[in-house]
Amino acid sequence: MKYDISNIKINKCQKSKIDTFDFEDLKFGAKFTDHMLICNYKDGQWQTAEILPYSPIQLEPSARVFHYGQAIFEGMKAYKDSNDDIWLFRPEENYERFNKSATRLAMPTLPKELFIDGLKTLLNVEREWVRKGMGNSLYIRPFMIATEGGVVASPSNEFLFCIILSPAKSYYSGKVKVQIAEHFSRAANGGIGAAKAAGNYSAQFYPTQLAQQAGYNQVIWTDSATHTKLEEAGTMNVFFRINDTLITAPTSERILDGVTRKSLIKLGEHLGYKFEVRHILVQEIIEAFEKGELKEIFGAGTAAVVNQIEGFEYGGKYYELPHLDDEKSYALQLKDALTKIQNKLADDPFEWTVKI
Ligand code: COI
């Protein structure tokens, strides 16, 4: 599928809102830059992409996305180094996953030129919005929605691909407390758990609300059949440290193949940390906790990067994890190593960063 991105139309806004923007006071994903990229799919092909001022989109009330949730997205970040160069982190991984999600949701795949080169063109227009310094990034949200009108329950023939950008610091403002799912499920075999589908997230809202009412921030999902295996945490993949070994569940039809997850495993192994990618049972972490061997639990994802978990609730009991400082916490050590690569402050042994 060849797509010519050089035809892209660029229509810039009259006046940037950047001067009115407070880069120090950022609520994750709340505010967006001056421009967005859009591209429509119709008559069996992707049309000419456009960069235009960030603005509302008009859709038919009967558009399939509103009725059947035919929608997918990605999460990526751009970083600026001390030379003012802008870098993406493993963008091809997101591109490939986006297309896998598209196929699972009966949506058209995207040509690489549209996703990657379109994004680079947009980032070049928005260079000023990428701030340098550790902890700063520009969160990138590519998404696709079904736009064809008509409430017949069948896939749309028309779609909108769009990229919006939001200056970001961290997703969570500290450690999180989690509840281990004993009844609700995020995904099941044969379902859409491995896709970055909008519905995977809305399905979590209600059980997460219940967890929040009980005093927890997030839910750690367990397998839908037995609720005995630990799988994924809210917006993140999840790692458990028993003594000196980091354990995370294998990706599957139910678990998202997270870019941060796989980068941490590869980088961590390179740095000498021991990982096991295998099923991990709730019972195993409770026994490890009781023996004093459960040292840490943390989540990993693009938005959150690495987020320490303070403790977890299971079976009506709360288990508070040890308070490890920067030197002792594998979560914080790995976060530091990864974010230094992303920010071009350390060597990039796997050539993950891509200059735009
Ligand atoms: C990301 O980490 O980029 C995600 O997609 C999670 C999101 C729901 C905030």
Side-chain angles (χ1 to χ4, degrees):
M1 202 188 332
K2 197 80 195 136
Y3 180 87
D4 190 359
I5 193 70
S6 65
N7 291 333
I8 192 165
K9 292 189 210 151
I10 302 181
N11 164 18
K12 288 203 194 165
C13 63
Q14 306 257 301
K15 184 165 165 29
S16 170
K17 57 186 179 238
I18 199 161
D19 293 341
T20 63
F21 200 87
D22 184 355
F23 283 88
E24 290 317 306
D25 181 23
L26 291 178
K27 193 163 164 271
F28 179 86
K31 293 201 174 144
F32 295 87
T33 64
D34 290 325
H35 300 93
M36 61 185 186
L37 177 147
I38 61 165
C39 188
N40 287 295
Y41 180 91
K42 61 174 188 220
D43 303 327
Q45 54 191 342
W46 288 103
Q47 309 292 310
T48 306
E50 251 183 286
I51 289 174
L52 69 172
Y54 180 93
S55 53
I57 295 168
Q58 267 208 340
L59 290 177
E60 284 275 343
S62 66
R64 302 286 209 282
V65 64
F66 297 134
H67 305 272
Y68 306 116
Q70 203 182 3
I72 59 168
F73 70 95
E74 268 303 322
M76 309 165 71
K77 278 180 179 168
Y79 308 85
K80 191 178 261 179
D81 70 13
S82 53
N83 301 320
D84 284 345
D85 286 324
I86 296 175
W87 299 82
L88 289 167
F89 184 73
R90 308 186 77 180
E92 302 227 345
E93 295 287 336
N94 298 91
Y95 166 66
E96 277 161 25
R97 191 172 62 185
F98 193 75
N99 276 348
K100 279 189 195 150
S101 302
T103 302
R104 180 61 185 83
L105 274 283
M107 300 169 107
T109 55
L110 249 77
K112 202 168 178 171
E113 295 78 7
L114 175 53
F115 189 98
I116 303 270
D117 301 333
L119 171 59
K120 288 182 180 173
T121 312
L122 178 63
L123 286 172
N124 265 319
V125 171
E126 301 291 58
R127 293 192 78 85
E128 291 306 308
W129 288 90
V130 194
R131 293 287 152 134
K132 23 186 181 206
M134 279 289 257
N136 289 321
S137 64
L138 185 65
Y139 184 73
I140 301 165
R141 176 53 69 89
F143 64 96
M144 183 182 356
I145 54 172
T147 51
E148 190 182 6
V151 296
V152 55
S154 61
S156 179
N157 290 303
E158 292 175 8
F159 297 88
L160 174 78
F161 170 65
C162 182
I163 308 177
I164 52 177
L165 308 170
S166 176
K169 288 192 184 280
S170 55
Y171 189 82
Y172 295 105
S173 55
K175 286 188 181 182
V176 294
K177 283 187 183 177
V178 297
Q179 195 173 51
I180 295 181
E182 295 178 59
H183 169 67
F184 291 103
S185 301
R186 174 188 172 276
N189 283 343
I192 57 170
K196 220 157 163 58
N200 280 335
Y201 294 80
S202 53
Q204 297 183 51
F205 291 165
Y206 176 65
T208 307
Q209 248 175 7
L210 295 182
Q212 286 167 353
Q213 281 159 13
Y216 304 97
N217 308 84
Q218 276 293 343
V219 176
I220 291 190
W221 301 104
T222 47
D223 67 293
S224 55
T226 66
H227 292 292
T228 56
K229 293 182 201 132
L230 294 153
E231 301 211 314
E232 205 175 310
T235 62
M236 309 176 282
N237 293 108
V238 64
F239 289 80
F240 302 86
R241 174 178 161 200
I242 297 184
N243 291 322
D244 287 342
T245 304
L246 289 161
I247 309 165
T248 193
T251 54
S252 70
E253 284 188 308
R254 301 187 301 270
I255 302 183
L256 193 79
D257 184 11
V259 180
T260 309
R261 172 191 175 279
K262 66 175 134 195
S263 304
L264 286 180
I265 297 172
K266 184 126 196 208
L267 177 63
E269 280 177 340
H270 173 76
L271 296 174
Y273 294 84
K274 205 158 86 198
F275 284 84
E276 287 178 13
V277 177
R278 62 165 172 85
H279 294 304
I280 174 155
L281 301 178
V282 181
Q283 209 42 45
E284 183 178 348
I285 64 157
I286 289 178
E287 282 167 24
F289 179 92
E290 270 150 13
K291 287 193 252 167
E293 294 176 351
L294 181 65
K295 307 290 184 200
E296 295 185 82
I297 305 180
F298 58 91
T302 299
V305 194
V306 169
N307 211 96
Q308 290 177 292
I309 288 171
E310 189 172 312
F312 63 92
E313 186 269 339
Y314 181 74
K317 184 168 167 197
Y318 182 65
Y319 298 82
E320 172 123 359
L321 292 163
H323 298 273
L324 299 184
D325 59 21
D326 294 24
E327 270 170 36
K328 298 219 175 93
S329 160
Y330 286 8
L332 296 179
Q333 292 163 10
L334 286 167
K335 178 178 184 178
D336 187 61
L338 183 69
T339 48
K340 279 191 176 135
I341 293 176
Q342 292 170 327
N343 285 275
K344 303 302 288 178
L345 294 169
D347 285 346
D348 175 8
F350 306 106
E351 299 184 1
W352 281 335
T353 51
V354 175
K355 194 161 153 178
I356 70 150

mmCIF file of all heavy atoms in Angstrom, residues 28 73-77 94 97 139-141 171 196 201 234-236 256 260 300-305, ligand 1:
data_model
loop_
_atom_site.group_PDB
_atom_site.id
_atom_site.type_symbol
_atom_site.label_atom_id
_atom_site.label_comp_id
_atom_site.label_asym_id
_atom_site.label_seq_id
_atom_site.Cartn_x
_atom_site.Cartn_y
_atom_site.Cartn_z
ATOM 1 N N PHE A 28 -2.610 15.359 33.095
ATOM 2 C CA PHE A 28 -2.341 14.500 31.942
ATOM 3 C C PHE A 28 -3.492 14.537 30.920
ATOM 4 O O PHE A 28 -4.653 14.325 31.247
ATOM 5 C CB PHE A 28 -2.108 13.041 32.367
ATOM 6 C CG PHE A 28 -1.848 12.166 31.177
ATOM 7 C CD1 PHE A 28 -0.573 12.031 30.664
ATOM 8 C CD2 PHE A 28 -2.892 11.527 30.528
ATOM 9 C CE1 PHE A 28 -0.340 11.273 29.519
ATOM 10 C CE2 PHE A 28 -2.670 10.758 29.393
ATOM 11 C CZ PHE A 28 -1.390 10.641 28.888
ATOM 12 N N PHE A 73 -6.752 3.324 19.312
ATOM 13 C CA PHE A 73 -5.813 4.431 19.510
ATOM 14 C C PHE A 73 -4.436 3.904 19.838
ATOM 15 O O PHE A 73 -4.229 2.702 19.993
ATOM 16 C CB PHE A 73 -6.334 5.383 20.596
ATOM 17 C CG PHE A 73 -6.304 4.832 21.996
ATOM 18 C CD1 PHE A 73 -5.227 5.104 22.837
ATOM 19 C CD2 PHE A 73 -7.341 4.064 22.497
ATOM 20 C CE1 PHE A 73 -5.196 4.610 24.140
ATOM 21 C CE2 PHE A 73 -7.318 3.567 23.800
ATOM 22 C CZ PHE A 73 -6.245 3.847 24.619
ATOM 23 N N GLU A 74 -3.482 4.811 19.917
ATOM 24 C CA GLU A 74 -2.125 4.505 20.373
ATOM 25 C C GLU A 74 -1.706 5.574 21.365
ATOM 26 O O GLU A 74 -2.311 6.650 21.436
ATOM 27 C CB GLU A 74 -1.130 4.491 19.195
ATOM 28 C CG GLU A 74 -0.929 3.138 18.551
ATOM 29 C CD GLU A 74 -0.471 2.063 19.541
ATOM 30 O OE1 GLU A 74 0.331 2.352 20.428
ATOM 31 O OE2 GLU A 74 -0.953 0.923 19.441
ATOM 32 N N GLY A 75 -0.635 5.284 22.111
ATOM 33 C CA GLY A 75 -0.049 6.287 23.002
ATOM 34 C C GLY A 75 1.445 6.289 22.741
ATOM 35 O O GLY A 75 2.075 5.230 22.757
ATOM 36 N N MET A 76 1.994 7.462 22.442
ATOM 37 C CA MET A 76 3.433 7.577 22.149
ATOM 38 C C MET A 76 3.925 8.882 22.792
ATOM 39 O O MET A 76 3.114 9.687 23.235
ATOM 40 C CB MET A 76 3.668 7.688 20.634
ATOM 41 C CG MET A 76 2.976 6.625 19.827
ATOM 42 S SD MET A 76 2.898 6.993 18.056
ATOM 43 C CE MET A 76 4.571 6.812 17.543
ATOM 44 N N LYS A 77 5.245 9.083 22.788
ATOM 45 C CA LYS A 77 5.754 10.354 23.311
ATOM 46 C C LYS A 77 6.895 10.875 22.440
ATOM 47 O O LYS A 77 7.653 10.081 21.872
ATOM 48 C CB LYS A 77 6.272 10.183 24.736
ATOM 49 C CG LYS A 77 5.172 10.225 25.777
ATOM 50 C CD LYS A 77 5.727 10.056 27.163
ATOM 51 C CE LYS A 77 4.625 10.130 28.210
ATOM 52 N NZ LYS A 77 5.103 9.678 29.523
ATOM 53 N N ASN A 94 4.552 1.168 17.671
ATOM 54 C CA ASN A 94 3.185 1.695 17.784
ATOM 55 C C ASN A 94 2.449 1.573 16.455
ATOM 56 O O ASN A 94 1.253 1.262 16.416
ATOM 57 C CB ASN A 94 3.202 3.158 18.228
ATOM 58 C CG ASN A 94 3.827 3.312 19.589
ATOM 59 O OD1 ASN A 94 5.024 3.527 19.707
ATOM 60 N ND2 ASN A 94 3.036 3.158 20.632
ATOM 61 N N ARG A 97 1.423 -2.038 16.039
ATOM 62 C CA ARG A 97 0.326 -2.401 16.947
ATOM 63 C C ARG A 97 -0.983 -1.733 16.519
ATOM 64 O O ARG A 97 -2.066 -2.317 16.632
ATOM 65 C CB ARG A 97 0.693 -2.025 18.387
ATOM 66 C CG ARG A 97 -0.252 -2.607 19.398
ATOM 67 C CD ARG A 97 0.231 -2.386 20.800
ATOM 68 N NE ARG A 97 0.332 -0.971 21.126
ATOM 69 C CZ ARG A 97 0.820 -0.493 22.256
ATOM 70 N NH1 ARG A 97 1.288 -1.335 23.172
ATOM 71 N NH2 ARG A 97 0.873 0.805 22.503
ATOM 72 N N TYR A 139 2.930 14.085 24.708
ATOM 73 C CA TYR A 139 2.183 12.831 24.547
ATOM 74 C C TYR A 139 1.462 12.876 23.201
ATOM 75 O O TYR A 139 0.832 13.877 22.834
ATOM 76 C CB TYR A 139 1.170 12.675 25.692
ATOM 77 C CG TYR A 139 0.434 11.361 25.647
ATOM 78 C CD1 TYR A 139 1.078 10.171 25.990
ATOM 79 C CD2 TYR A 139 -0.894 11.291 25.241
ATOM 80 C CE1 TYR A 139 0.414 8.950 25.939
ATOM 81 C CE2 TYR A 139 -1.568 10.074 25.192
ATOM 82 C CZ TYR A 139 -0.900 8.915 25.541
ATOM 83 O OH TYR A 139 -1.555 7.706 25.484
ATOM 84 N N ILE A 140 1.560 11.774 22.480
ATOM 85 C CA ILE A 140 1.001 11.697 21.116
ATOM 86 C C ILE A 140 -0.148 10.701 21.125
ATOM 87 O O ILE A 140 0.024 9.566 21.554
ATOM 88 C CB ILE A 140 2.101 11.220 20.137
ATOM 89 C CG1 ILE A 140 3.283 12.186 20.168
ATOM 90 C CG2 ILE A 140 1.543 11.065 18.731
ATOM 91 C CD1 ILE A 140 4.544 11.619 19.517
ATOM 92 N N ARG A 141 -1.287 11.133 20.666
ATOM 93 C CA ARG A 141 -2.450 10.232 20.654
ATOM 94 C C ARG A 141 -2.968 10.082 19.208
ATOM 95 O O ARG A 141 -3.795 10.852 18.746
ATOM 96 C CB ARG A 141 -3.523 10.811 21.577
ATOM 97 C CG ARG A 141 -4.847 10.076 21.617
ATOM 98 C CD ARG A 141 -4.716 8.608 21.900
ATOM 99 N NE ARG A 141 -4.279 8.236 23.218
ATOM 100 C CZ ARG A 141 -5.068 8.023 24.275
ATOM 101 N NH1 ARG A 141 -6.358 8.201 24.179
ATOM 102 N NH2 ARG A 141 -4.558 7.617 25.426
ATOM 103 N N TYR A 171 1.663 10.648 34.503
ATOM 104 C CA TYR A 171 0.249 10.266 34.448
ATOM 105 C C TYR A 171 -0.336 10.193 35.852
ATOM 106 O O TYR A 171 -1.406 10.718 36.121
ATOM 107 C CB TYR A 171 0.129 8.900 33.754
ATOM 108 C CG TYR A 171 -1.291 8.499 33.458
ATOM 109 C CD1 TYR A 171 -1.943 8.992 32.332
ATOM 110 C CD2 TYR A 171 -1.991 7.638 34.298
ATOM 111 C CE1 TYR A 171 -3.251 8.635 32.048
ATOM 112 C CE2 TYR A 171 -3.301 7.274 34.023
ATOM 113 C CZ TYR A 171 -3.919 7.768 32.896
ATOM 114 O OH TYR A 171 -5.219 7.413 32.629
ATOM 115 N N LYS A 196 -5.504 -2.162 21.102
ATOM 116 C CA LYS A 196 -5.667 -0.909 21.839
ATOM 117 C C LYS A 196 -6.992 -0.302 21.384
ATOM 118 O O LYS A 196 -7.044 0.665 20.615
ATOM 119 C CB LYS A 196 -4.477 0.017 21.603
ATOM 120 C CG LYS A 196 -4.092 0.714 22.891
ATOM 121 C CD LYS A 196 -2.679 1.189 22.896
ATOM 122 C CE LYS A 196 -2.467 2.224 23.989
ATOM 123 N NZ LYS A 196 -2.772 1.786 25.347
ATOM 124 N N TYR A 201 -10.935 0.127 27.425
ATOM 125 C CA TYR A 201 -10.736 1.094 28.515
ATOM 126 C C TYR A 201 -12.074 1.444 29.152
ATOM 127 O O TYR A 201 -12.191 1.495 30.374
ATOM 128 C CB TYR A 201 -9.967 2.322 27.983
ATOM 129 C CG TYR A 201 -8.563 1.892 27.580
ATOM 130 C CD1 TYR A 201 -8.329 1.266 26.353
ATOM 131 C CD2 TYR A 201 -7.505 2.003 28.467
ATOM 132 C CE1 TYR A 201 -7.059 0.794 26.010
ATOM 133 C CE2 TYR A 201 -6.240 1.536 28.142
ATOM 134 C CZ TYR A 201 -6.026 0.933 26.910
ATOM 135 O OH TYR A 201 -4.772 0.452 26.594
ATOM 136 N N GLY A 234 -4.796 -1.576 35.072
ATOM 137 C CA GLY A 234 -5.408 -0.352 34.555
ATOM 138 C C GLY A 234 -4.843 0.074 33.224
ATOM 139 O O GLY A 234 -5.051 -0.578 32.208
ATOM 140 N N THR A 235 -4.068 1.133 33.229
ATOM 141 C CA THR A 235 -3.513 1.657 31.979
ATOM 142 C C THR A 235 -2.103 1.123 31.730
ATOM 143 O O THR A 235 -1.379 1.654 30.895
ATOM 144 C CB THR A 235 -3.451 3.194 32.033
ATOM 145 O OG1 THR A 235 -2.573 3.550 33.103
ATOM 146 C CG2 THR A 235 -4.803 3.816 32.281
ATOM 147 N N MET A 236 -1.685 0.093 32.457
ATOM 148 C CA MET A 236 -0.274 -0.335 32.385
ATOM 149 C C MET A 236 -0.138 -1.855 32.392
ATOM 150 O O MET A 236 -1.002 -2.555 32.919
ATOM 151 C CB MET A 236 0.486 0.187 33.617
ATOM 152 C CG MET A 236 0.318 1.668 33.883
ATOM 153 S SD MET A 236 1.143 2.200 35.402
ATOM 154 C CE MET A 236 0.007 1.646 36.662
ATOM 155 N N LEU A 256 -2.151 -6.551 26.617
ATOM 156 C CA LEU A 256 -1.572 -5.655 25.622
ATOM 157 C C LEU A 256 -0.050 -5.830 25.559
ATOM 158 O O LEU A 256 0.615 -5.908 26.597
ATOM 159 C CB LEU A 256 -1.903 -4.212 26.008
ATOM 160 C CG LEU A 256 -1.625 -3.206 24.913
ATOM 161 C CD1 LEU A 256 -2.744 -3.215 23.879
ATOM 162 C CD2 LEU A 256 -1.458 -1.823 25.480
ATOM 163 N N THR A 260 6.518 -0.112 26.491
ATOM 164 C CA THR A 260 7.338 0.131 27.688
ATOM 165 C C THR A 260 7.671 -1.201 28.352
ATOM 166 O O THR A 260 8.807 -1.425 28.775
ATOM 167 C CB THR A 260 6.601 1.073 28.665
ATOM 168 O OG1 THR A 260 6.179 2.217 27.931
ATOM 169 C CG2 THR A 260 7.486 1.499 29.815
ATOM 170 N N ALA A 300 3.900 -0.395 34.071
ATOM 171 C CA ALA A 300 4.713 0.202 33.010
ATOM 172 C C ALA A 300 3.832 0.479 31.805
ATOM 173 O O ALA A 300 3.079 -0.390 31.366
ATOM 174 C CB ALA A 300 5.833 -0.761 32.621
ATOM 175 N N GLY A 301 3.928 1.705 31.306
ATOM 176 C CA GLY A 301 3.149 2.077 30.121
ATOM 177 C C GLY A 301 3.685 3.389 29.577
ATOM 178 O O GLY A 301 4.449 4.075 30.263
ATOM 179 N N THR A 302 3.274 3.759 28.377
ATOM 180 C CA THR A 302 3.801 4.993 27.782
ATOM 181 C C THR A 302 3.443 6.203 28.627
ATOM 182 O O THR A 302 4.306 7.018 28.962
ATOM 183 C CB THR A 302 3.251 5.151 26.345
ATOM 184 O OG1 THR A 302 3.698 4.033 25.602
ATOM 185 C CG2 THR A 302 3.741 6.434 25.702
ATOM 186 N N ALA A 303 2.174 6.319 28.964
ATOM 187 C CA ALA A 303 1.746 7.506 29.698
ATOM 188 C C ALA A 303 2.357 7.522 31.099
ATOM 189 O O ALA A 303 2.916 8.526 31.543
ATOM 190 C CB ALA A 303 0.226 7.539 29.783
ATOM 191 N N ALA A 304 2.287 6.393 31.788
ATOM 192 C CA ALA A 304 2.743 6.341 33.179
ATOM 193 C C ALA A 304 4.259 6.130 33.292
ATOM 194 O O ALA A 304 4.829 6.368 34.348
ATOM 195 C CB ALA A 304 2.018 5.222 33.902
ATOM 196 N N VAL A 305 4.904 5.677 32.267
ATOM 197 C CA VAL A 305 6.318 5.238 32.222
ATOM 198 C C VAL A 305 6.471 4.053 33.188
ATOM 199 O O VAL A 305 6.178 2.930 32.810
ATOM 200 C CB VAL A 305 7.330 6.360 32.512
ATOM 201 C CG1 VAL A 305 8.739 5.896 32.102
ATOM 202 C CG2 VAL A 305 6.985 7.637 31.758
HETATM 203 C C1 COI B 1 -0.608 4.938 27.284
HETATM 204 O O1 COI B 1 0.110 4.602 28.213
HETATM 205 O O2 COI B 1 -0.220 5.633 26.351
HETATM 206 C C2 COI B 1 -1.977 4.508 27.223
HETATM 207 O O3 COI B 1 -2.450 4.320 26.151
HETATM 208 C C3 COI B 1 -2.784 4.442 28.415
HETATM 209 C C4 COI B 1 -3.825 5.484 28.339
HETATM 210 C C5 COI B 1 -5.152 4.911 28.579
HETATM 211 C C6 COI B 1 -3.534 6.692 29.126
#
